[in-house]
Amino acid sequence: MDCIFCKIAAGEIPCKKIYEDERVLAFFDIQPQAPVHALIIPKTHVASADELTAQTAGVAADVFGAVPKVARACGLTRGYRVITNVGEDGCQSVRHLHCHLLGGRKLPEEMG
Ligand code: AMP
């Protein structure tokens, strides 16, 4: 499968790693939109939150379970925002489920 995040998870494409365990990987976004902009991906390929099922919901739990660890590793003591984009209207550019973790400054109130 030609998926850039699968290749990053497999170590075939380098990343600036923040956190890793057997099921998830977190790394800095290549085009940061905040002082801290991390991505958290499952090592299992799921295309987006819209593809989740009762059988694969654990993949989302793994990603969310890593959120506080990544936030602490990035020094985000004052809060942060977690976003997952879905599909064309959600402006999802990489079709592998991921959370954006944004922080390091007061973020705009607008969500969309
Ligand atoms: P989305 O638009 O929600 O699908 O988010 C995909 C994110 O992946 C974007 O913010 C990109 O900047 C980021 N991205 C794409 N390729 C890489 C890469 N090789 N390393 C780090 N971040 C990447």
Side-chain angles (χ1 to χ4, degrees):
M1 191 186 302
D2 194 26
C3 169
I4 187 168
F5 283 0
C6 282
K7 289 179 180 169
I8 289 174
E12 294 166 14
I13 292 177
C15 69
K16 287 190 177 175
K17 190 188 300 182
I18 303 166
Y19 171 81
E20 182 173 21
D21 63 29
E22 64 273 17
R23 291 194 293 268
V24 303
L25 174 67
F27 52 95
F28 289 107
D29 196 292
I30 206 165
Q31 289 187 296
Q33 296 187 27
V36 174
H37 186 170
L39 299 172
I40 309 173
I41 67 168
K43 292 185 176 177
T44 301
H45 185 87
V46 173
S48 77
D50 196 56
E51 312 293 318
L52 289 166
T53 65
Q55 284 70 39
T56 58
V59 172
D62 292 338
V63 170
F64 266 85
V67 164
K69 296 170 190 168
V70 177
R72 284 173 194 36
C74 292
L76 297 177
T77 56
R78 290 165 51 92
Y80 49 87
R81 183 169 290 159
V82 179
I83 296 172
T84 187
N85 295 325
V86 178
E88 193 175 342
D89 279 4
C91 295
Q92 182 185 8
S93 60
V94 178
R95 302 293 164 127
H96 180 124
L97 177 68
H98 54 281
C99 279
H100 297 258
L101 197 155
L102 299 151
R105 67 170 159 84
K106 182 86 171 173
L107 297 167
E109 286 189 15
E110 301 79 30
M111 290 287 289

